[in-house]
Amino acid sequence: MKLQIATASKQIHAPAEVIYEILADYRTKHPLILPKPYFLSLDVEEGGVGAGTIVNFKMRVLGRTQSFRSLITEPVPGRTLLETDLNSGIATRFDLSPLEKDAHTKVTISTELRNRGAVEGLVAKLLLQKIYRQELERLAFLVDSQTGRVDRVSIRML
């Protein structure tokens, strides 16, 4: 079985610290970037900000609802968040790379899909990449709303 990696990146006009603060806040800010209808819920079981946080979330993909329980770690504090599903071991990374004297940041979301057949892996990869692109768009709008570049109501329209 071939390893599939679902990945999407976007350059966002904000310092990495501003973006990381949103991503690491699983109680109030991170839920705002999750695209509906794929993400049905996100509940914090333990912690709430950054490393040591445990979240439970439900996703509806291809007509199936799946539940996940993930531990959040920070392999590179301030630059990388890792959500590792405690049941399957599948991990999703959020990597931030500062650009242009820290005025912009490249944000990459990626997941290694293991133990899947070729067709299932390809379908999962393509769907996750679509979801990640939407998530990155919502993140960019949220950053812009916090910095005054767009109205806060716009994030709800995505």
Side-chain angles (χ1 to χ4, degrees), residues 9-15 18-20 22-23 29-30 32-35 94 104-107 109 131-152 154-156 158:
S9 296
K10 181 170 182 66
Q11 183 174 321
I12 298 177
H13 182 77
V18 170
I19 296 167
Y20 201 81
I22 292 168
L23 293 174
K29 295 179 182 175
H30 196 108
L32 296 174
I33 70 167
L34 300 177
F94 294 82
H104 292 82
T105 304
K106 179 181 177 186
V107 181
I109 305 172
I131 293 169
Y132 295 164
R133 285 190 300 271
Q134 290 179 18
E135 199 166 340
L136 290 166
E137 286 298 322
R138 293 178 65 87
L139 176 60
F141 270 101
L142 184 58
V143 167
D144 286 346
S145 73
Q146 287 188 345
T147 58
R149 281 192 281 277
V150 296
D151 187 302
R152 289 182 181 273
S154 300
I155 189 78
R156 290 188 177 89
L158 287 177

Side-chain angles (χ1 to χ4, degrees), residues 37-40 58-66 127 131:
Y38 303 108
F39 287 90
L40 303 176
K58 290 185 181 178
M59 286 186 76
R60 184 161 183 81
V61 178
L62 298 174
R64 276 187 26 205
T65 299
Q66 292 184 291
L127 186 55
I131 293 169

Side-chain angles (χ1 to χ4, degrees), residues 21 24-27 44 46-53 72 74:
E21 178 184 314
D25 181 354
Y26 285 85
R27 287 205 183 272
V44 175
E46 196 172 303
V49 178
T53 296
I72 312 306
E74 297 181 74

Side-chain angles (χ1 to χ4, degrees), residues 66-109:
Q66 292 184 291
S67 297
F68 300 90
R69 184 170 181 253
S70 294
L71 171 65
I72 312 306
T73 56
E74 297 181 74
V76 182
R79 295 291 182 262
T80 302
L81 278 171
L82 190 63
E83 298 177 356
T84 304
D85 182 62
L86 296 172
N87 296 317
S88 69
I90 293 174
T92 298
R93 295 177 64 92
F94 294 82
D95 289 304
L96 284 69
S97 302
L99 305 168
E100 300 176 33
K101 298 183 182 176
D102 296 335
H104 292 82
T105 304
K106 179 181 177 186
V107 181
T108 301
I109 305 172

Side-chain angles (χ1 to χ4, degrees), residues 1-4 113-125:
M1 287 183 223
K2 183 179 176 187
L3 175 69
Q4 297 275 359
L113 302 167
R114 299 182 195 136
N115 302 323
R116 297 178 186 264
V119 173
E120 181 188 4
L122 180 60
V123 170
K125 174 184 173 178

